[in-house]
Amino acid sequence: MNKRQIQFSEGRAKIDLYQLQNLFNIAAFWAKERSIENLGIAIANSEPVISVWDREQLIGFARGNSDGIYRATIWDVVIHPEYQGKGLGIKLVETVLTHPIMQVERVYLMTTHQQTFYEKIGFQTNSTTTMVLYNQSNFAPLETGEIQLQESLRG
């Protein structure tokens, strides 16, 4: 691998959703078979979005979300298997972490098998705050009148 061919890119515009879907199918058991439409929605609602390229081939990806002051989360960190073990994953996560919107009190991430990798970067196991709600279809959205009532009660 010629390192001069590797480029990190920030932003949504360069992401080829088909290449991203392929990368997930190759390298991420937790993201196999994600649809192009849903990938586009996830990326549109994320900042930062960081990609890693070897010329025109997408070989790495990660995205984040943040409130800009208190909390942020890193999602979908993936490096193509042929490029793993060369420091690109660490550089990818560090690139996400140094983005201005990610400068917050706490950054969270979820990982199934890569705790040791993230510990090298400085993440610590946190068993006291993690909970998951799997299916939100049980909740009905508030009607407009209910929202107005809540707002009038505050004021």
Side-chain angles (χ1 to χ4, degrees), residues 52-153:
V52 186
W53 300 84
D54 185 351
R55 295 185 183 171
E56 298 300 316
Q57 180 186 357
L58 180 66
I59 62 164
F61 177 84
R63 63 187 181 91
N65 296 103
S66 174
D67 64 16
I69 191 79
Y70 299 112
R71 303 291 183 265
T73 307
I74 296 176
W75 303 102
D76 297 339
V77 177
V78 62
I79 296 289
H80 191 286
E82 292 177 16
Y83 295 83
Q84 292 176 5
K86 301 177 184 327
L88 294 173
I90 290 172
K91 178 70 173 164
L92 177 59
V93 173
E94 289 175 346
T95 302
V96 172
L97 290 171
T98 58
H99 189 278
I101 200 165
M102 299 297 282
Q103 303 305 300
V104 297
E105 289 179 357
R106 290 187 188 166
V107 177
Y108 294 94
L109 66 85
M110 288 170 263
T111 185
T112 306
H113 302 294
Q114 298 298 324
Q115 290 83 355
T116 303
F117 169 79
Y118 290 105
E119 286 170 352
K120 291 178 193 173
I121 300 168
F123 282 89
Q124 302 171 11
T125 302
N126 179 4
S127 60
T128 60
T129 61
T130 302
M131 296 180 76
V132 175
L133 176 62
Y134 285 103
N135 187 348
Q136 296 184 40
S137 63
N138 300 345
F139 300 107
L142 288 176
E143 298 297 322
T144 305
E146 292 176 276
I147 295 170
Q148 290 173 348
L149 175 62
Q150 289 178 356
E151 290 175 353
S152 66
L153 290 175

